[in-house]
Short mmCIF file of all heavy atoms in Angstrom, two decimals:
data_model
loop_
_atom_site.label_atom_id
_atom_site.label_comp_id
_atom_site.label_asym_id
_atom_site.label_seq_id
_atom_site.Cartn_x
_atom_site.Cartn_y
_atom_site.Cartn_z
N ARG A 247 6.90 -27.60 7.42
CA ARG A 247 7.02 -28.01 6.04
C ARG A 247 8.09 -29.11 5.96
O ARG A 247 9.17 -28.99 6.53
CB ARG A 247 7.44 -26.79 5.18
CG ARG A 247 7.64 -27.11 3.74
CD ARG A 247 7.71 -25.84 2.92
NE ARG A 247 8.47 -26.03 1.71
CZ ARG A 247 8.10 -26.67 0.65
NH1 ARG A 247 6.91 -27.30 0.61
NH2 ARG A 247 8.80 -26.69 -0.45
N PRO A 248 7.76 -30.17 5.27
CA PRO A 248 8.73 -31.25 5.07
C PRO A 248 9.96 -30.78 4.24
O PRO A 248 9.85 -29.90 3.49
CB PRO A 248 8.02 -32.28 4.33
CG PRO A 248 6.71 -31.76 3.90
CD PRO A 248 6.57 -30.48 4.61
N PRO A 249 11.12 -31.36 4.48
CA PRO A 249 12.32 -31.00 3.72
C PRO A 249 12.16 -31.21 2.29
O PRO A 249 11.48 -32.24 1.89
CB PRO A 249 13.39 -31.85 4.33
CG PRO A 249 12.73 -32.95 5.02
CD PRO A 249 11.40 -32.48 5.32
N ARG A 250 12.70 -30.39 1.45
CA ARG A 250 12.65 -30.54 -0.04
C ARG A 250 13.48 -31.72 -0.40
O ARG A 250 14.59 -31.98 0.13
CB ARG A 250 13.23 -29.37 -0.78
CG ARG A 250 12.24 -28.27 -0.97
CD ARG A 250 12.76 -27.19 -1.92
NE ARG A 250 12.16 -27.54 -3.22
CZ ARG A 250 12.92 -27.50 -4.36
NH1 ARG A 250 14.23 -27.13 -4.29
NH2 ARG A 250 12.40 -27.83 -5.47
N SER A 251 13.07 -32.49 -1.40
CA SER A 251 13.73 -33.59 -1.92
C SER A 251 14.93 -33.13 -2.78
O SER A 251 14.87 -32.14 -3.39
CB SER A 251 12.82 -34.48 -2.73
OG SER A 251 13.56 -35.45 -3.41
N THR A 252 15.98 -33.95 -2.76
CA THR A 252 17.12 -33.62 -3.59
C THR A 252 16.87 -34.13 -5.05
O THR A 252 17.67 -33.93 -5.96
CB THR A 252 18.43 -34.32 -3.06
OG1 THR A 252 18.14 -35.71 -2.99
CG2 THR A 252 18.80 -33.71 -1.75
N LEU A 253 15.78 -34.83 -5.26
CA LEU A 253 15.41 -35.29 -6.52
C LEU A 253 14.93 -34.28 -7.49
O LEU A 253 15.19 -34.36 -8.77
CB LEU A 253 14.29 -36.41 -6.40
CG LEU A 253 13.70 -36.94 -7.71
CD1 LEU A 253 14.75 -37.77 -8.46
CD2 LEU A 253 12.49 -37.83 -7.38
N PHE A 254 14.18 -33.30 -7.05
CA PHE A 254 13.52 -32.37 -7.89
C PHE A 254 14.46 -31.59 -8.88
O PHE A 254 14.08 -31.34 -10.00
CB PHE A 254 12.62 -31.48 -7.12
CG PHE A 254 11.59 -32.21 -6.37
CD1 PHE A 254 11.24 -31.84 -5.11
CD2 PHE A 254 10.95 -33.33 -6.93
CE1 PHE A 254 10.37 -32.53 -4.33
CE2 PHE A 254 10.06 -34.04 -6.12
CZ PHE A 254 9.67 -33.65 -4.89
N PRO A 255 15.65 -31.14 -8.39
CA PRO A 255 16.53 -30.50 -9.38
C PRO A 255 16.88 -31.39 -10.57
O PRO A 255 17.02 -30.87 -11.74
CB PRO A 255 17.79 -30.14 -8.57
CG PRO A 255 17.30 -30.13 -7.22
CD PRO A 255 16.17 -31.06 -7.07
N TYR A 256 16.95 -32.67 -10.41
CA TYR A 256 17.24 -33.69 -11.49
C TYR A 256 16.04 -33.81 -12.38
O TYR A 256 16.23 -33.89 -13.64
CB TYR A 256 17.60 -35.03 -10.92
CG TYR A 256 18.90 -35.00 -10.13
CD1 TYR A 256 18.90 -35.04 -8.76
CD2 TYR A 256 20.07 -34.79 -10.83
CE1 TYR A 256 20.13 -34.95 -8.06
CE2 TYR A 256 21.30 -34.76 -10.14
CZ TYR A 256 21.29 -34.79 -8.74
OH TYR A 256 22.49 -34.73 -8.11
N THR A 257 14.81 -33.82 -11.87
CA THR A 257 13.70 -33.94 -12.75
C THR A 257 13.58 -32.70 -13.59
O THR A 257 13.28 -32.69 -14.82
CB THR A 257 12.33 -34.16 -11.99
OG1 THR A 257 12.13 -33.07 -11.08
CG2 THR A 257 12.36 -35.48 -11.28
N THR A 258 13.82 -31.58 -13.02
CA THR A 258 13.81 -30.24 -13.77
C THR A 258 14.95 -30.26 -14.84
O THR A 258 14.64 -29.85 -16.00
CB THR A 258 13.99 -29.08 -12.83
OG1 THR A 258 12.94 -29.12 -11.88
CG2 THR A 258 13.87 -27.73 -13.55
N LEU A 259 16.11 -30.65 -14.57
CA LEU A 259 17.21 -30.77 -15.46
C LEU A 259 16.83 -31.69 -16.65
O LEU A 259 17.08 -31.36 -17.76
CB LEU A 259 18.45 -31.24 -14.81
CG LEU A 259 19.67 -31.51 -15.68
CD1 LEU A 259 20.16 -30.19 -16.31
CD2 LEU A 259 20.78 -32.19 -14.93
N PHE A 260 16.33 -32.83 -16.36
CA PHE A 260 15.94 -33.79 -17.40
C PHE A 260 15.01 -33.21 -18.33
O PHE A 260 15.08 -33.24 -19.60
CB PHE A 260 15.42 -35.08 -16.85
CG PHE A 260 16.40 -35.91 -16.03
CD1 PHE A 260 15.98 -36.82 -15.08
CD2 PHE A 260 17.78 -35.82 -16.33
CE1 PHE A 260 16.92 -37.56 -14.40
CE2 PHE A 260 18.66 -36.56 -15.57
CZ PHE A 260 18.23 -37.43 -14.63
N ARG A 261 13.97 -32.50 -17.83
CA ARG A 261 12.90 -31.86 -18.61
C ARG A 261 13.57 -30.70 -19.48
O ARG A 261 13.24 -30.56 -20.64
CB ARG A 261 11.82 -31.36 -17.85
CG ARG A 261 11.01 -32.38 -17.18
CD ARG A 261 10.26 -33.35 -18.22
NE ARG A 261 9.87 -34.47 -17.61
CZ ARG A 261 10.22 -35.73 -17.99
NH1 ARG A 261 10.90 -35.89 -19.01
NH2 ARG A 261 9.70 -36.80 -17.40
N SER A 262 14.52 -29.96 -18.86
CA SER A 262 15.07 -28.88 -19.63
C SER A 262 15.99 -29.38 -20.76
O SER A 262 16.22 -28.67 -21.73
CB SER A 262 15.82 -27.96 -18.63
OG SER A 262 17.03 -28.55 -18.27
N GLN A 263 16.49 -30.59 -20.65
CA GLN A 263 17.32 -31.18 -21.68
C GLN A 263 16.46 -31.98 -22.66
O GLN A 263 16.99 -32.66 -23.53
CB GLN A 263 18.39 -32.11 -21.07
CG GLN A 263 19.26 -31.39 -20.09
CD GLN A 263 20.13 -30.34 -20.85
OE1 GLN A 263 20.66 -30.63 -21.96
NE2 GLN A 263 20.38 -29.18 -20.30
N HIS A 264 15.18 -31.93 -22.53
CA HIS A 264 14.16 -32.51 -23.46
C HIS A 264 14.27 -34.08 -23.43
O HIS A 264 14.00 -34.72 -24.46
CB HIS A 264 14.35 -32.03 -24.88
CG HIS A 264 14.24 -30.50 -24.91
ND1 HIS A 264 13.05 -29.88 -24.65
CD2 HIS A 264 15.15 -29.57 -25.10
CE1 HIS A 264 13.25 -28.56 -24.75
NE2 HIS A 264 14.53 -28.32 -24.99
N PHE A 265 14.70 -34.65 -22.28
CA PHE A 265 14.61 -36.15 -22.17
C PHE A 265 13.13 -36.55 -22.19
O PHE A 265 12.27 -35.89 -21.61
CB PHE A 265 15.20 -36.55 -20.85
CG PHE A 265 16.70 -36.52 -20.82
CD1 PHE A 265 17.30 -35.58 -20.02
CD2 PHE A 265 17.43 -37.32 -21.55
CE1 PHE A 265 18.66 -35.49 -19.90
CE2 PHE A 265 18.80 -37.33 -21.52
CZ PHE A 265 19.47 -36.35 -20.66
N GLN A 266 12.82 -37.59 -22.94
CA GLN A 266 11.46 -38.00 -23.09
C GLN A 266 11.08 -39.19 -22.17
O GLN A 266 9.94 -39.60 -22.15
CB GLN A 266 11.22 -38.41 -24.52
CG GLN A 266 11.47 -37.33 -25.58
CD GLN A 266 10.54 -36.17 -25.34
OE1 GLN A 266 9.31 -36.37 -25.15
NE2 GLN A 266 11.09 -34.97 -25.32
N THR A 267 12.00 -39.72 -21.42
CA THR A 267 11.73 -40.78 -20.49
C THR A 267 10.83 -40.33 -19.39
O THR A 267 11.14 -39.38 -18.69
CB THR A 267 13.04 -41.34 -19.91
OG1 THR A 267 13.91 -41.72 -21.03
CG2 THR A 267 12.74 -42.55 -19.09
N PRO A 268 9.73 -41.00 -19.19
CA PRO A 268 8.86 -40.59 -18.04
C PRO A 268 9.49 -40.89 -16.68
O PRO A 268 10.16 -41.92 -16.59
CB PRO A 268 7.59 -41.48 -18.21
CG PRO A 268 7.73 -42.25 -19.51
CD PRO A 268 9.17 -42.07 -19.97
N ILE A 269 9.36 -40.03 -15.77
CA ILE A 269 9.96 -40.15 -14.45
C ILE A 269 8.86 -40.61 -13.53
O ILE A 269 7.82 -39.96 -13.35
CB ILE A 269 10.58 -38.80 -14.02
CG1 ILE A 269 11.76 -38.47 -14.93
CG2 ILE A 269 11.13 -38.88 -12.52
CD1 ILE A 269 12.28 -37.06 -14.72
N ILE A 270 9.17 -41.66 -12.76
CA ILE A 270 8.30 -42.13 -11.69
C ILE A 270 9.04 -41.87 -10.37
O ILE A 270 10.10 -42.37 -10.19
CB ILE A 270 7.89 -43.59 -11.81
CG1 ILE A 270 7.22 -43.85 -13.13
CG2 ILE A 270 7.09 -44.06 -10.53
CD1 ILE A 270 6.98 -45.40 -13.38
N VAL A 271 8.42 -41.12 -9.47
CA VAL A 271 9.05 -40.92 -8.17
C VAL A 271 8.42 -42.02 -7.27
O VAL A 271 7.26 -42.20 -7.19
CB VAL A 271 8.67 -39.47 -7.60
CG1 VAL A 271 9.16 -39.40 -6.15
CG2 VAL A 271 9.27 -38.41 -8.47
N TYR A 272 9.32 -42.72 -6.57
CA TYR A 272 8.97 -43.77 -5.71
C TYR A 272 9.54 -43.46 -4.33
O TYR A 272 10.74 -43.58 -4.11
CB TYR A 272 9.56 -45.11 -6.28
CG TYR A 272 9.12 -46.36 -5.57
CD1 TYR A 272 7.76 -46.63 -5.32
CD2 TYR A 272 10.06 -47.33 -5.13
CE1 TYR A 272 7.38 -47.81 -4.75
CE2 TYR A 272 9.74 -48.43 -4.51
CZ TYR A 272 8.36 -48.70 -4.30
OH TYR A 272 7.99 -49.90 -3.70
N SER A 273 8.65 -43.02 -3.42
CA SER A 273 9.15 -42.46 -2.19
C SER A 273 8.28 -42.82 -1.00
O SER A 273 7.14 -43.26 -1.21
CB SER A 273 9.11 -40.90 -2.29
OG SER A 273 9.40 -40.26 -1.12
N GLN A 274 8.83 -42.68 0.18
CA GLN A 274 8.02 -42.94 1.40
C GLN A 274 7.24 -41.70 1.80
O GLN A 274 6.35 -41.77 2.58
CB GLN A 274 8.94 -43.32 2.55
CG GLN A 274 9.53 -44.67 2.42
CD GLN A 274 10.42 -45.10 3.53
OE1 GLN A 274 11.06 -44.25 4.17
NE2 GLN A 274 10.55 -46.29 3.83
N ALA A 275 7.60 -40.52 1.20
CA ALA A 275 6.94 -39.30 1.59
C ALA A 275 5.50 -39.33 1.11
O ALA A 275 5.22 -39.61 -0.09
CB ALA A 275 7.63 -38.14 1.02
N MET A 276 4.50 -39.02 1.98
CA MET A 276 3.16 -39.04 1.62
C MET A 276 2.55 -37.67 1.72
O MET A 276 1.34 -37.49 1.48
CB MET A 276 2.37 -40.02 2.58
CG MET A 276 2.79 -41.44 2.39
SD MET A 276 1.73 -42.71 3.26
CE MET A 276 1.43 -41.90 4.83
N GLN A 277 3.34 -36.68 2.04
CA GLN A 277 2.79 -35.30 2.21
C GLN A 277 2.37 -34.78 0.87
O GLN A 277 3.09 -34.86 -0.13
CB GLN A 277 3.78 -34.36 2.81
CG GLN A 277 4.18 -34.72 4.24
CD GLN A 277 5.38 -35.64 4.32
OE1 GLN A 277 5.74 -36.25 3.31
NE2 GLN A 277 5.97 -35.79 5.47
N ARG A 278 1.18 -34.16 0.83
CA ARG A 278 0.53 -33.70 -0.44
C ARG A 278 1.58 -32.71 -1.10
O ARG A 278 1.70 -32.66 -2.27
CB ARG A 278 -0.74 -33.01 -0.11
CG ARG A 278 -1.41 -32.42 -1.36
CD ARG A 278 -2.76 -31.88 -0.92
NE ARG A 278 -3.40 -31.21 -2.04
CZ ARG A 278 -4.06 -31.75 -3.01
NH1 ARG A 278 -4.27 -33.11 -3.00
NH2 ARG A 278 -4.59 -31.04 -3.98
N GLU A 279 2.21 -31.89 -0.26
CA GLU A 279 3.08 -30.81 -0.81
C GLU A 279 4.24 -31.47 -1.58
O GLU A 279 4.58 -30.96 -2.71
CB GLU A 279 3.73 -30.02 0.34
CG GLU A 279 2.78 -29.09 1.06
CD GLU A 279 3.41 -28.49 2.22
OE1 GLU A 279 4.39 -28.98 2.78
OE2 GLU A 279 2.96 -27.38 2.61
N ILE A 280 4.72 -32.59 -1.15
CA ILE A 280 5.91 -33.22 -1.84
C ILE A 280 5.35 -33.86 -3.06
O ILE A 280 6.01 -33.82 -4.15
CB ILE A 280 6.53 -34.24 -0.93
CG1 ILE A 280 7.20 -33.51 0.29
CG2 ILE A 280 7.53 -35.13 -1.62
CD1 ILE A 280 8.19 -34.20 1.08
N VAL A 281 4.22 -34.52 -3.09
CA VAL A 281 3.66 -35.17 -4.31
C VAL A 281 3.42 -34.04 -5.37
O VAL A 281 3.86 -34.19 -6.51
CB VAL A 281 2.39 -35.87 -3.98
CG1 VAL A 281 1.74 -36.44 -5.31
CG2 VAL A 281 2.62 -37.00 -2.98
N VAL A 282 2.85 -33.00 -4.93
CA VAL A 282 2.56 -31.82 -5.91
C VAL A 282 3.82 -31.30 -6.48
O VAL A 282 3.98 -31.00 -7.64
CB VAL A 282 1.73 -30.75 -5.24
CG1 VAL A 282 1.59 -29.50 -6.07
CG2 VAL A 282 0.30 -31.31 -4.96
N GLU A 283 4.85 -31.13 -5.62
CA GLU A 283 6.16 -30.59 -6.00
C GLU A 283 6.85 -31.56 -7.04
O GLU A 283 7.29 -31.07 -8.06
CB GLU A 283 7.05 -30.35 -4.82
CG GLU A 283 8.29 -29.58 -5.10
CD GLU A 283 9.06 -29.17 -3.92
OE1 GLU A 283 8.68 -29.61 -2.71
OE2 GLU A 283 10.01 -28.46 -4.06
N ALA A 284 6.76 -32.84 -6.76
CA ALA A 284 7.35 -33.79 -7.67
C ALA A 284 6.66 -33.73 -9.01
O ALA A 284 7.38 -33.66 -10.06
CB ALA A 284 7.24 -35.22 -7.09
N LEU A 285 5.42 -33.73 -9.04
CA LEU A 285 4.67 -33.57 -10.34
C LEU A 285 4.88 -32.26 -11.05
O LEU A 285 5.03 -32.30 -12.28
CB LEU A 285 3.19 -33.91 -10.15
CG LEU A 285 2.86 -35.25 -9.53
CD1 LEU A 285 1.33 -35.38 -9.21
CD2 LEU A 285 3.31 -36.39 -10.54
N SER A 286 5.00 -31.23 -10.33
CA SER A 286 5.18 -29.93 -10.99
C SER A 286 6.65 -29.82 -11.46
O SER A 286 6.89 -28.94 -12.33
CB SER A 286 4.87 -28.78 -10.01
OG SER A 286 5.85 -28.73 -8.97
N HIS A 287 7.53 -30.65 -11.00
CA HIS A 287 8.94 -30.60 -11.50
C HIS A 287 9.21 -31.64 -12.56
O HIS A 287 10.32 -31.88 -12.93
CB HIS A 287 9.96 -30.78 -10.33
CG HIS A 287 10.13 -29.48 -9.54
ND1 HIS A 287 9.32 -29.16 -8.45
CD2 HIS A 287 11.03 -28.56 -9.63
CE1 HIS A 287 9.76 -28.02 -7.95
NE2 HIS A 287 10.76 -27.61 -8.65
N GLY A 288 8.24 -32.20 -13.06
CA GLY A 288 8.39 -33.12 -14.23
C GLY A 288 8.13 -34.57 -14.07
O GLY A 288 8.20 -35.29 -15.04
N ALA A 289 7.88 -34.95 -12.87
CA ALA A 289 7.58 -36.40 -12.65
C ALA A 289 6.20 -36.71 -13.27
O ALA A 289 5.32 -35.91 -13.19
CB ALA A 289 7.53 -36.77 -11.21
N LYS A 290 6.12 -37.88 -13.93
CA LYS A 290 4.83 -38.24 -14.55
C LYS A 290 3.98 -39.10 -13.57
O LYS A 290 2.73 -39.22 -13.79
CB LYS A 290 5.11 -39.07 -15.81
CG LYS A 290 5.73 -38.28 -16.88
CD LYS A 290 4.75 -37.26 -17.41
CE LYS A 290 5.43 -36.42 -18.56
NZ LYS A 290 4.62 -35.27 -18.85
N SER A 291 4.56 -39.59 -12.58
CA SER A 291 3.79 -40.38 -11.61
C SER A 291 4.47 -40.35 -10.23
O SER A 291 5.72 -40.12 -10.18
CB SER A 291 3.68 -41.83 -12.08
OG SER A 291 2.80 -42.58 -11.31
N TYR A 292 3.73 -40.64 -9.24
CA TYR A 292 4.33 -40.68 -7.88
C TYR A 292 3.71 -41.83 -7.15
O TYR A 292 2.51 -41.95 -6.99
CB TYR A 292 3.90 -39.40 -7.08
CG TYR A 292 4.63 -39.19 -5.83
CD1 TYR A 292 5.74 -38.38 -5.72
CD2 TYR A 292 4.19 -39.86 -4.65
CE1 TYR A 292 6.42 -38.15 -4.58
CE2 TYR A 292 4.91 -39.67 -3.47
CZ TYR A 292 6.00 -38.83 -3.42
OH TYR A 292 6.67 -38.61 -2.22
N LEU A 293 4.54 -42.78 -6.73
CA LEU A 293 4.11 -43.94 -6.04
C LEU A 293 4.70 -43.93 -4.64
O LEU A 293 5.89 -43.63 -4.37
CB LEU A 293 4.66 -45.23 -6.67
CG LEU A 293 4.07 -45.53 -8.07
CD1 LEU A 293 4.74 -46.77 -8.69
CD2 LEU A 293 2.56 -45.70 -8.05
N VAL A 294 3.89 -44.26 -3.62
CA VAL A 294 4.34 -44.28 -2.22
C VAL A 294 4.83 -45.63 -1.86
O VAL A 294 4.14 -46.61 -2.09
CB VAL A 294 3.13 -43.86 -1.29
CG1 VAL A 294 3.61 -43.90 0.13
CG2 VAL A 294 2.74 -42.39 -1.66
N LYS A 295 6.03 -45.72 -1.26
CA LYS A 295 6.55 -47.02 -0.78
C LYS A 295 5.68 -47.50 0.42
O LYS A 295 5.29 -46.67 1.17
CB LYS A 295 8.02 -46.83 -0.34
CG LYS A 295 8.92 -46.58 -1.52
CD LYS A 295 10.35 -46.48 -0.91
CE LYS A 295 11.31 -46.15 -2.04
NZ LYS A 295 12.68 -46.02 -1.54
N PRO A 296 5.62 -48.74 0.63
CA PRO A 296 6.06 -49.82 -0.28
C PRO A 296 4.94 -50.18 -1.24
O PRO A 296 3.79 -49.96 -0.97
CB PRO A 296 6.33 -50.99 0.70
CG PRO A 296 5.39 -50.76 1.85
CD PRO A 296 5.23 -49.27 1.98
N GLN A 297 5.39 -50.75 -2.36
CA GLN A 297 4.46 -51.23 -3.35
C GLN A 297 4.99 -52.60 -3.84
O GLN A 297 6.23 -52.83 -3.76
CB GLN A 297 4.39 -50.31 -4.60
CG GLN A 297 3.80 -48.97 -4.37
CD GLN A 297 2.33 -49.04 -4.20
OE1 GLN A 297 1.60 -49.93 -4.59
NE2 GLN A 297 1.74 -48.04 -3.46
N LYS A 298 4.12 -53.44 -4.23
CA LYS A 298 4.55 -54.74 -4.81
C LYS A 298 5.25 -54.37 -6.15
O LYS A 298 4.86 -53.42 -6.89
CB LYS A 298 3.35 -55.62 -5.08
CG LYS A 298 2.70 -56.07 -3.77
CD LYS A 298 1.55 -57.04 -4.15
CE LYS A 298 0.94 -57.53 -2.82
NZ LYS A 298 -0.26 -58.43 -3.04
N PRO A 299 6.25 -55.15 -6.51
CA PRO A 299 7.00 -54.95 -7.78
C PRO A 299 6.05 -54.95 -8.95
O PRO A 299 6.24 -54.13 -9.89
CB PRO A 299 7.92 -56.17 -7.84
CG PRO A 299 8.11 -56.54 -6.42
CD PRO A 299 6.83 -56.26 -5.74
N GLU A 300 4.99 -55.64 -8.87
CA GLU A 300 4.04 -55.69 -10.07
C GLU A 300 3.35 -54.33 -10.17
O GLU A 300 3.06 -53.92 -11.35
CB GLU A 300 2.90 -56.77 -9.82
CG GLU A 300 3.49 -58.16 -9.71
CD GLU A 300 4.01 -58.52 -8.31
OE1 GLU A 300 3.58 -57.94 -7.28
OE2 GLU A 300 4.79 -59.44 -8.24
N VAL A 301 3.16 -53.56 -9.18
CA VAL A 301 2.41 -52.28 -9.24
C VAL A 301 3.40 -51.31 -9.96
O VAL A 301 3.07 -50.51 -10.74
CB VAL A 301 2.03 -51.83 -7.84
CG1 VAL A 301 1.59 -50.41 -7.85
CG2 VAL A 301 1.00 -52.70 -7.25
N VAL A 302 4.66 -51.34 -9.48
CA VAL A 302 5.66 -50.43 -10.05
C VAL A 302 5.89 -50.73 -11.52
O VAL A 302 5.84 -49.85 -12.39
CB VAL A 302 7.06 -50.53 -9.29
CG1 VAL A 302 8.04 -49.58 -9.93
CG2 VAL A 302 6.85 -50.25 -7.85
N LEU A 303 6.00 -51.99 -11.88
CA LEU A 303 6.09 -52.43 -13.29
C LEU A 303 4.91 -52.03 -14.12
O LEU A 303 4.99 -51.44 -15.22
CB LEU A 303 6.34 -53.89 -13.37
CG LEU A 303 6.51 -54.46 -14.78
CD1 LEU A 303 7.76 -53.84 -15.50
CD2 LEU A 303 6.63 -55.98 -14.73
N GLN A 304 3.74 -52.22 -13.62
CA GLN A 304 2.50 -51.85 -14.24
C GLN A 304 2.44 -50.38 -14.52
O GLN A 304 2.05 -49.89 -15.67
CB GLN A 304 1.28 -52.22 -13.45
CG GLN A 304 -0.08 -51.81 -14.07
CD GLN A 304 -1.26 -52.23 -13.19
OE1 GLN A 304 -1.07 -52.72 -12.06
NE2 GLN A 304 -2.45 -51.99 -13.71
N LYS A 305 2.88 -49.52 -13.60
CA LYS A 305 2.88 -47.99 -13.75
C LYS A 305 3.92 -47.66 -14.83
O LYS A 305 3.64 -46.81 -15.66
CB LYS A 305 3.20 -47.40 -12.47
CG LYS A 305 3.28 -45.85 -12.57
CD LYS A 305 2.01 -45.24 -13.16
CE LYS A 305 0.81 -45.27 -12.28
NZ LYS A 305 -0.30 -44.45 -12.81
N ALA A 306 5.09 -48.36 -14.82
CA ALA A 306 6.15 -48.05 -15.85
C ALA A 306 5.59 -48.41 -17.24
O ALA A 306 5.69 -47.56 -18.18
CB ALA A 306 7.36 -48.79 -15.54
N VAL A 307 4.95 -49.53 -17.36
CA VAL A 307 4.47 -49.94 -18.67
C VAL A 307 3.35 -49.00 -19.16
O VAL A 307 3.26 -48.64 -20.34
CB VAL A 307 3.93 -51.43 -18.63
CG1 VAL A 307 3.11 -51.79 -19.84
CG2 VAL A 307 5.10 -52.34 -18.44
N GLU A 308 2.45 -48.60 -18.27
CA GLU A 308 1.35 -47.69 -18.56
C GLU A 308 1.93 -46.37 -19.07
O GLU A 308 1.52 -45.87 -20.09
CB GLU A 308 0.56 -47.45 -17.28
CG GLU A 308 -0.57 -46.36 -17.40
CD GLU A 308 -1.15 -46.14 -16.06
OE1 GLU A 308 -1.38 -47.04 -15.32
OE2 GLU A 308 -1.35 -44.88 -15.77
N LEU A 309 2.99 -45.84 -18.38
CA LEU A 309 3.53 -44.55 -18.81
C LEU A 309 4.27 -44.66 -20.13
O LEU A 309 4.25 -43.73 -20.99
CB LEU A 309 4.46 -43.98 -17.75
CG LEU A 309 3.85 -43.49 -16.46
CD1 LEU A 309 4.85 -43.06 -15.49
CD2 LEU A 309 2.90 -42.39 -16.80
N LEU A 310 4.92 -45.82 -20.38
CA LEU A 310 5.60 -45.96 -21.69
C LEU A 310 4.69 -46.09 -22.81
O LEU A 310 4.91 -45.66 -23.92
CB LEU A 310 6.57 -47.18 -21.60
CG LEU A 310 7.78 -46.93 -20.71
CD1 LEU A 310 8.57 -48.28 -20.49
CD2 LEU A 310 8.70 -45.93 -21.30
N ARG A 311 3.46 -46.73 -22.59
CA ARG A 311 2.48 -46.85 -23.64
C ARG A 311 1.82 -45.50 -23.97
O ARG A 311 1.33 -45.38 -25.11
CB ARG A 311 1.41 -47.88 -23.20
CG ARG A 311 1.90 -49.24 -23.24
CD ARG A 311 0.75 -50.25 -22.91
NE ARG A 311 1.27 -51.56 -23.07
CZ ARG A 311 0.71 -52.62 -22.50
NH1 ARG A 311 -0.29 -52.48 -21.65
NH2 ARG A 311 1.19 -53.83 -22.63
N THR A 312 1.77 -44.59 -23.01
CA THR A 312 1.10 -43.33 -23.31
C THR A 312 2.03 -42.34 -23.78
O THR A 312 1.58 -41.12 -24.06
CB THR A 312 0.41 -42.83 -22.05
OG1 THR A 312 1.37 -42.61 -21.02
CG2 THR A 312 -0.66 -43.79 -21.50
N ARG A 313 3.22 -42.64 -24.07
CA ARG A 313 4.23 -41.64 -24.52
C ARG A 313 3.88 -41.26 -25.98
O ARG A 313 3.49 -41.89 -26.85
CB ARG A 313 5.64 -42.14 -24.54
CG ARG A 313 6.26 -42.14 -23.19
CD ARG A 313 7.59 -42.74 -23.08
NE ARG A 313 8.43 -42.18 -24.18
CZ ARG A 313 9.66 -42.65 -24.45
NH1 ARG A 313 10.05 -43.71 -23.86
NH2 ARG A 313 10.36 -42.15 -25.36
#
């Protein structure tokens, strides 16, 4: 099993504090378990590195529009 990310406690904390900002996880990890874990802990999207800056920006705009 891949190591747990240190990011997930923060996504859970943000959600418990009712932050409305969508969280995008941008990581090199491609394991399905990690993606599922990120999304289940409050991330709204998961992008695998590397991506062109335009792709990251497009995903951020998309998430902000759907809020």
Side-chain angles (χ1 to χ4, degrees):
R247 174 166 158 73
R250 275 193 95 223
S251 171
T252 57
L253 173 68
F254 303 138
Y256 294 105
T257 57
T258 302
L259 174 66
F260 293 156
R261 293 295 166 236
S262 72
Q263 298 295 318
H264 305 290
F265 286 110
Q266 298 300 312
T267 304
I269 297 169
I270 300 172
V271 175
Y272 187 53
S273 173
Q274 290 180 330
M276 296 188 318
Q277 296 90 346
R278 181 178 172 84
E279 292 174 334
I280 294 195
V281 175
V282 169
E283 191 171 7
L285 296 173
S286 70
H287 280 87
K290 292 294 181 191
S291 185
Y292 191 100
L293 296 175
V294 177
K295 290 180 182 178
Q297 293 287 335
K298 292 182 179 180
E300 298 83 25
V301 172
V302 178
L303 181 59
Q304 178 182 4
K305 179 54 73 176
V307 168
E308 174 187 317
L309 289 175
L310 289 172
R311 285 186 178 154
T312 60
R313 283 178 50 192

